[in-house]
Amino acid sequence: MIKRKQLLFGEVIHKKENNGRAKEVIAKLSRGLMLPIAMLPIAGLSLGIGATINSQAATTAGQTIGSVLMLTGNIIFAILPLLFAIAVSITFTKDSGTAALSSVVGYFVFLLLQTALIVNPHGNDPNYHFLWYNFTPEKFQAIFTESFGVNTLSTSVFGGILVGATVAFLYNRFKDIQLPYAIAFFSGVRFIPIITFAAMIIFSMIFAILWPLIGQGLFYLGEGLQYGGQYGGINSLVYGIINRALVPFGMHHVINTMLWFTNIGGQFDTNLEMFKANGTDLHISAYQLAGDIVASKITGDINMQIYFTRLIGQHTIEGTKYTITIQDIIYSSKQSGVQIAPGQYTNFAYVFGLFGLSGAALGMLFAAPKGEGRKQAAAIVIPGAIVSSLTGVSEAIEFTFLFLAPWLFWGFHAILAGIGGMITTTLIYYAPNVAPHVTFSFAQGALDFVIYGVIPDIRGGGTHCWMLLLMSIVYFPIYFGAFYWAIKKWNLSTPGRGGTKLFTKADWMKEKQDKSTLNKALTLREKSKEVIMAYGGADNILNIDACITKLRIQVKNKKIVNENRLKELGALGVIHPSPQSVYAVFGNEADLIKNQMKDIIAKGEHKYLESKPIKH
């Protein structure tokens, strides 16, 4: 019987493999989305510091410096859709520069064709015309936005992601094309920008026909989620649980992107908002207050809060000083008929990230037997707790108990994360005088907490960051008590406990000596070679990728992957998200090992290694 086949990003696959390959595509997409997100920390830092200087500076020179920092940081957020197009295209083409260049060409063709279809109001007709659609000025503002200096459909990062995916498909399909002799110069990868240009005309027309309807649907979906927020923060409860539940598989970035950067996570129109500060109606729009030339729509929870960073604080308007708070912005938005809830999808992780997981770490530490067991636990959980609290990268501590007590991760930690979001979102709607509104640009740790919580609060922005700090302090004993009790009650195999029976001191010392010798003897290059061997050799490896903490490898045969060897080399655990994917959690070394592995294979250094047998 002949198996049906289909095309997936240019690759022919068997029908029965669809489910597994779909998971791999989602996982790879998640990794690709992390590339532009990784640019946000420096942009956010520049924007936050610039806004603070600009707000507090008493001299023209100080305000100029602040404005420069604000603008350089803000540009990254302004071009996010283009960055997503580039990131997705190179992710699915093994980092092809041709695909990246083609995605830039494709994205601008995509935008400018839509712009050409807009017919502005003229004569006695106040409406905008777009194909067969007629939009009132208010409706036009809801569906279109200013991007790269032109009016275009407000597709946000959705447009960028789909353009990048289309370019990746075209690259994989046509990169080896052979054209007739007369035009053979355009064969191979030189054909990709050409076919991209033509394809984007069709792609943009499809968007022009469908997006006015889809865009409105997404807007109403976002409103529906916010409606759920008004009833006990249900939206943030569900999101918080799903966010943590997907972390082990590296797929949480997909849902994060939707809520953080698109109108599903909320929308703020900088043209329509009228501000009230110090009890006075200012009658000034947001874009005028921010010093922008034209109005635009800001979509997504993070994007909105980053924009608010420019608005909050002191402003001098016609000789009078005013202090704008986030509460003023929410009030002004509501006056125009749009309810926003900044922070409903970003606050929750501060609650468990600052001190909550530190309580879990302390619970695991005290649950370990005194002596060598507790020393072993301390060496693992204390660094993880510090990283979580300081930077917000919580995977280091989460993975220490994910693989040893999975139900403690999904059954307790994920639910507590959702409850944290539910509480903070409920406060936003029903206790605005204490509700927190703290965003981030890297991860929800102390560094971002200071930049987006403490500093804006000092400027009078009303972020109420102290509420998150208080909640996280309350979470500390909850996590400590729950972890300590659960570990003791069910004799869980958390760090330092060694499984159902504890190691003797001699066993532990021998293991410690063996691992210490291994780690000292192996350089990063040598460790990477050993990792290649543990994955069954270079011939068994189909693709090499990594995110912040996980080495993401696709293999031909999972049966010959030596998981024990990966753990000996420092992996906290091994995950199997799909039939061909084997992820190893190496923490902050993951990306470095990935680069070394690629270089080793590219230079042929793996050939000698592959002659060695793999011990299981």
Side-chain angles (χ1 to χ4, degrees):
M1 183 176 179
I2 299 175
K3 300 176 183 178
R4 289 178 56 192
K5 297 183 179 181
Q6 71 178 54
L7 210 60
L8 183 63
F9 287 99
E11 180 184 2
V12 177
I13 64 173
H14 295 290
K15 182 182 178 182
K16 73 176 184 178
E17 298 173 340
N18 284 353
N19 185 46
R21 289 297 179 92
K23 291 180 181 177
E24 290 175 11
V25 168
I26 294 173
K28 184 176 279 192
L29 174 63
S30 183
R31 178 259 177 187
L33 298 180
M34 269 301 295
L35 292 177
I37 292 174
M39 300 180 186
L40 299 185
I42 186 61
L45 182 64
S46 178
L47 182 60
I49 293 175
T52 301
I53 293 174
N54 192 280
S55 175
Q56 302 297 321
T59 64
T60 302
Q63 291 178 350
T64 301
I65 293 172
S67 296
V68 169
L69 289 173
M70 283 174 57
L71 290 173
T72 53
N74 192 55
I75 190 63
I76 299 299
F77 294 93
I79 64 172
L80 269 180
L82 176 59
L83 296 181
F84 274 101
I86 296 170
V88 171
S89 67
I90 65 176
T91 297
F92 287 97
T93 59
K94 297 183 179 178
D95 298 341
S96 166
T98 300
L101 176 63
S102 300
S103 66
V104 174
V105 172
Y107 186 72
F108 280 105
V109 173
F110 170 74
L111 286 185
L112 294 175
L113 179 62
Q114 297 166 13
T115 300
L117 297 175
I118 300 173
V119 178
N120 294 324
H122 54 84
N124 295 324
D125 184 0
N127 294 331
Y128 291 81
H129 300 275
F130 185 79
L131 295 179
W132 50 82
Y133 296 103
N134 294 321
F135 300 111
T136 63
E138 294 77 16
K139 200 73 169 179
F140 183 83
Q141 289 293 333
I143 299 176
F144 291 80
T145 190
E146 187 273 334
S147 180
F148 293 96
V150 296
N151 275 321
T152 184
L153 286 167
S154 181
T155 57
S156 187
V157 299
F158 281 115
I161 291 171
L162 291 173
V163 167
T166 303
V167 171
F169 172 82
L170 295 172
Y171 178 88
N172 290 321
R173 177 68 178 82
F174 295 108
K175 69 179 185 296
D176 297 319
I177 190 172
Q178 300 250 342
L179 297 175
Y181 180 78
I183 54 174
F185 174 80
F186 299 105
S187 296
V189 294
R190 285 188 287 269
F191 182 70
I192 307 305
I194 298 173
I195 189 66
T196 296
F197 188 95
M200 281 303 118
I201 295 176
I202 300 172
F203 188 71
S204 186
M205 284 300 300
I206 294 173
F207 253 74
I209 294 170
L210 299 178
W211 194 260
L213 302 176
I214 296 174
Q216 283 296 292
L218 294 175
F219 175 75
Y220 291 131
L221 173 60
E223 283 196 329
L225 289 174
Q226 292 201 129
Y227 184 78
Q230 298 177 50
Y231 289 88
I234 299 301
N235 60 335
S236 298
L237 171 67
V238 174
Y239 166 66
I241 294 173
I242 293 176
N243 174 277
R244 287 298 97 188
L246 292 178
V247 163
F249 309 103
M251 298 180 184
H252 56 304
H253 299 302
V254 177
I255 186 173
N256 289 347
T257 299
M258 304 303 180
L259 294 172
W260 291 349
F261 304 114
T262 78
N263 53 6
I264 297 178
Q267 180 171 293
F268 180 77
D269 192 330
T270 67
N271 185 56
L272 299 178
E273 314 308 322
M274 306 300 288
F275 285 87
K276 184 169 187 169
N278 301 353
T280 304
D281 289 319
L282 300 183
H283 298 289
I284 183 172
S285 61
Y287 84 90
Q288 292 171 319
L289 195 66
D292 293 337
I293 299 175
V294 294
S296 62
K297 273 184 298 302
I298 312 299
T299 58
D301 199 12
I302 284 184
N303 279 341
M304 286 194 301
Q305 292 192 86
I306 291 295
Y307 190 83
F308 297 160
T309 300
R310 300 166 60 191
L311 301 179
I312 60 177
Q314 291 185 354
H315 293 268
T316 301
I317 303 172
E318 296 181 354
T320 304
K321 286 188 176 181
Y322 297 92
T323 301
I324 304 293
T325 68
I326 288 184
Q327 288 71 38
D328 294 326
I329 297 172
I330 294 173
Y331 166 82
S332 302
S333 184
K334 195 171 183 179
Q335 290 298 102
S336 67
V338 179
Q339 175 72 59
I340 59 174
Q344 60 184 332
Y345 302 119
T346 57
N347 283 327
F348 82 104
Y350 282 111
V351 179
F352 67 79
L354 290 174
F355 294 109
L357 284 173
S358 295
L362 195 64
M364 288 187 281
L365 180 63
F366 277 82
K370 293 181 179 179
E372 300 300 339
R374 191 162 293 182
K375 289 180 181 179
Q376 183 186 29
I380 296 173
V381 301
I382 290 179
I386 292 173
V387 169
S388 174
S389 295
L390 186 62
T391 69
V393 179
S394 56
E395 283 92 336
I397 187 67
E398 287 172 323
F399 285 131
T400 60
F401 62 89
L402 168 63
F403 300 105
L404 301 174
W407 70 266
L408 201 55
F409 181 91
W410 282 296
F412 175 78
H413 173 52
I415 293 174
L416 260 289
I419 291 174
M422 179 182 70
I423 294 172
T424 56
T425 297
T426 301
L427 291 175
I428 290 173
Y429 285 102
Y430 295 104
N433 292 331
V434 296
H437 305 278
V438 184
T439 189
F440 70 99
S441 58
F442 176 63
Q444 292 100 319
L447 297 177
D448 278 87
F449 183 76
V450 170
I451 294 170
Y452 296 106
V454 176
I455 294 177
D457 249 351
I458 292 173
R459 289 163 45 201
T463 60
H464 298 153
C465 61
W466 58 268
M467 176 55 73
L468 290 180
L469 188 62
L470 177 62
M471 289 180 63
S472 192
I473 291 172
V474 171
Y475 260 44
F476 181 89
I478 294 175
Y479 268 82
F480 172 80
F483 270 70
Y484 183 82
W485 174 79
I487 293 168
K488 288 291 191 178
K489 174 73 174 177
W490 286 286
N491 194 26
L492 299 178
S493 303
T494 48
R497 294 176 60 81
T500 53
K501 90 173 181 63
L502 298 178
F503 286 127
T504 65
K505 181 175 180 179
D507 291 335
W508 185 82
M509 287 297 291
K510 182 179 184 302
E511 181 180 354
K512 179 182 177 183
Q513 184 178 5
D514 290 344
K515 288 188 175 182
S516 175
T517 302
L518 174 68
N519 290 332
K520 287 180 181 178
L522 293 179
T523 64
L524 182 64
R525 186 79 170 185
E526 291 169 336
K527 178 187 282 192
S528 301
K529 292 177 181 178
E530 292 294 326
V531 170
I532 291 174
M533 293 298 295
Y535 271 103
D539 286 342
N540 193 44
I541 296 175
L542 296 173
N543 189 57
I544 303 172
D545 251 326
C547 63
I548 295 176
T549 56
K550 293 184 288 293
L551 192 62
R552 301 182 174 204
I553 308 294
Q554 270 92 46
V555 296
K556 295 177 183 176
N557 184 1
K558 291 172 68 172
K559 293 181 180 180
I560 65 173
V561 176
N562 190 339
E563 292 189 20
N564 290 332
R565 181 58 175 158
L566 289 171
K567 292 176 182 178
E568 287 176 358
L569 291 167
L572 291 173
V574 180
I575 308 169
H576 299 265
S578 73
Q580 284 189 306
S581 295
V582 183
Y583 296 175
V585 184
F586 277 99
N588 294 333
E589 276 191 331
D591 198 58
L592 299 175
I593 294 174
K594 175 204 75 174
N595 294 333
Q596 290 289 330
M597 290 175 66
K598 285 186 173 182
D599 191 57
I600 290 166
I601 293 174
K603 293 180 177 178
E605 296 177 23
H606 62 285
K607 294 178 181 178
Y608 169 72
L609 294 173
E610 291 178 339
S611 65
K612 297 179 181 179
I614 302 175
K615 296 180 180 179
H616 291 272

